[in-house]
Amino acid sequence: MSSKVLEGVKRVGLWNSFMGSVKAVLEYTNMKNIEDCMLMGSTGMAFRFVMKNNCDASGPTVYDWASEHFTMLDRIGIFSEITLLFREQGMNTFKLAQVSAMEKIKKAIDNDIPVIIWAPSSVMEFGIISGYDDEQRVFFVRDVGEDEPDPLLYDNLGISMIPYLYVHVLESCIDVAQEKMFRSSLVYGIKEWNKKFHVSSSYTCGNAAYQSTIDALSSERFNDFGFCYCMAVYAQSKELLAEYIKELSIRSKEIKIPSKTVEYCMDISDGFREINMKTPFLGPKKVHKVDCKKELALYLKQLREKEEYVMKSLEKAIGSAN
């Protein structure tokens, strides 16, 4: 029996827990030095705005994890391997899938690479495995919380309230031409903004997500807890997206971003931060009652109009750079 713990792996430090986990792994391994805004922007994650029709808390994590995560990291030159399996009730081979995933995790840890997984603790977010102990049959984990979470039992790998067995190992990194990275992220962002259908009819993305949220604010199905959580996640995403577009406007030699577009991105960031301040997320066990719904709906309509302008401007910018 063996054990190993990677000391110094940081907790997940972004509201977007997947990219927060990626950042922690990259920092620990020195695989790639990248600022938060460049990580969220160049991968495309900062462009994502997904909401359920009742504004519950699931929106930010509802998408095709395997294909989206691989492609996002590929945009910045990171090669990774993903295991993804939903634990259907009565599945016969789940224990075998667990054993296979455990072997991959231990191999990565032995190679000094922390591993990204879904729900390493009771919090339904992405997190990190930073070590293992065969004698105790546990994995040592890091999550979004400030405190040290309890170890994860081997037998509980992939078993949670949302039972996905998700294991993601960042293998290696290559350099990607800056202009190619910028263009790819903008193409992705524009596509997400204009997407008519998401993975489920209950969810909308981009422009449509604004309207879904506005409609939900006047509906009896409105979820106060979920809205506050989503606004906290997206307030940070919009802030990092604004920083990314500003950096792109400075760094890119091919894509010319108008100053008004940068200014509107900053306005959108400020707007989401103000919404977040008015509807604070108080943690998993507390709920802030949203009581300014008409005001929020009007504000979101104004922000959507500005984001529509931004997306059309970005589309024109990458078209002009052809």
Side-chain angles (χ1 to χ4, degrees):
M1 291 189 176
S2 60
S3 65
K4 183 171 181 177
V5 177
L6 305 179
E7 301 291 349
V9 177
K10 295 181 180 178
R11 76 175 186 89
V12 178
L14 293 174
W15 275 97
N16 185 290
S17 60
F18 174 71
M19 283 301 168
S21 299
V22 169
K23 181 67 181 291
V25 174
L26 293 179
E27 286 187 348
Y28 182 83
T29 59
N30 292 316
M31 192 178 295
K32 191 176 187 72
N33 182 23
I34 187 167
E35 306 149 273
D36 289 348
C37 69
M38 296 303 292
L39 176 64
M40 287 285 287
S42 56
T43 59
M45 185 63 88
F47 289 94
R48 293 193 59 82
F49 179 45
V50 177
M51 295 291 290
K52 194 174 182 182
N53 56 15
N54 67 346
C55 294
D56 81 9
S58 61
T61 54
V62 174
Y63 54 93
D64 184 344
W65 293 348
S67 63
E68 291 276 20
H69 288 168
F70 181 88
T71 305
M72 284 179 172
L73 296 185
D74 175 78
R75 284 192 186 99
I76 60 174
I78 296 172
F79 172 72
S80 60
E81 292 192 353
I82 299 170
T83 297
L84 177 60
L85 176 68
F86 182 77
R87 183 174 176 256
E88 297 278 3
Q89 188 173 3
M91 182 178 287
N92 295 313
T93 60
F94 183 73
K95 284 291 184 183
L96 298 178
Q98 277 185 317
V99 171
S100 176
M102 289 176 200
E103 291 174 353
K104 292 178 181 178
I105 292 167
K106 292 178 187 179
K107 180 180 177 182
I109 297 296
D110 288 341
N111 289 329
D112 296 325
I113 302 174
V115 178
I116 300 169
I117 70 165
W118 170 251
S121 67
S122 60
V123 181
M124 294 298 102
E125 297 276 7
F126 291 97
I128 300 166
I129 291 179
S130 59
Y132 68 91
D133 188 313
D134 284 339
E135 185 175 351
Q136 298 183 60
R137 291 185 55 79
V138 297
F139 292 114
F140 301 103
V141 302
R142 303 290 283 158
D143 67 2
V144 296
E146 294 285 352
D147 299 327
E148 193 79 28
D150 292 334
L152 174 67
L153 295 174
Y154 284 0
D155 290 341
N156 287 343
L157 182 66
I159 298 175
S160 68
M161 188 171 65
I162 304 173
Y164 279 98
L165 176 61
Y166 180 92
V167 176
H168 195 159
V169 181
L170 309 191
E171 297 279 359
S172 56
C173 183
I174 62 171
D175 291 331
V176 176
Q178 180 174 262
E179 297 297 339
K180 180 180 181 181
M181 183 176 67
F182 287 158
R183 177 180 294 277
S184 176
S185 68
L186 295 184
V187 169
Y188 174 81
I190 293 163
K191 180 181 177 182
E192 287 295 300
W193 175 255
N194 292 314
K195 188 181 285 185
K196 300 299 182 184
F197 304 101
H198 198 51
V199 294
S200 165
S201 60
S202 299
Y203 295 86
T204 49
C205 184
N207 193 352
Y210 271 99
Q211 189 59 52
S212 175
T213 306
I214 291 167
D215 292 344
L217 282 163
S218 60
S219 168
E220 292 182 359
R221 66 178 184 268
F222 180 78
N223 187 308
D224 295 84
F225 175 88
F227 180 84
C228 294
Y229 169 78
C230 289
M231 290 304 104
V233 173
Y234 292 130
Q236 187 177 65
S237 290
K238 299 296 185 184
E239 177 186 0
L240 294 173
L241 179 59
E243 293 176 14
Y244 175 65
I245 296 300
K246 182 179 179 180
E247 285 299 314
L248 195 157
S249 73
I250 296 168
R251 300 186 193 184
S252 178
K253 294 180 172 59
E254 297 178 6
I255 303 170
K256 306 303 179 184
I257 307 294
S259 59
K260 185 175 180 180
T261 302
V262 176
E263 178 185 333
Y264 271 20
C265 284
M266 296 296 180
D267 289 346
I268 295 164
S269 170
D270 290 343
F272 270 82
R273 182 170 64 250
E274 185 172 341
I275 291 173
N276 180 216
M277 291 174 64
K278 289 181 177 180
T279 60
F281 180 66
L282 304 176
K285 297 181 180 180
K286 298 180 181 179
V287 180
H288 173 87
K289 189 68 175 176
V290 178
D291 57 4
C292 49
K293 295 178 183 177
K294 289 185 178 180
E295 178 187 347
L296 291 172
L298 178 60
Y299 203 15
L300 283 167
K301 183 178 179 181
Q302 295 168 350
L303 294 175
R304 181 179 65 176
E305 291 172 355
K306 289 198 171 185
E307 193 154 349
E308 175 71 11
Y309 176 92
V310 166
M311 291 301 164
K312 287 181 178 179
S313 174
L314 295 177
E315 189 170 13
K316 183 178 180 181
I318 59 176
S320 300
N322 288 334

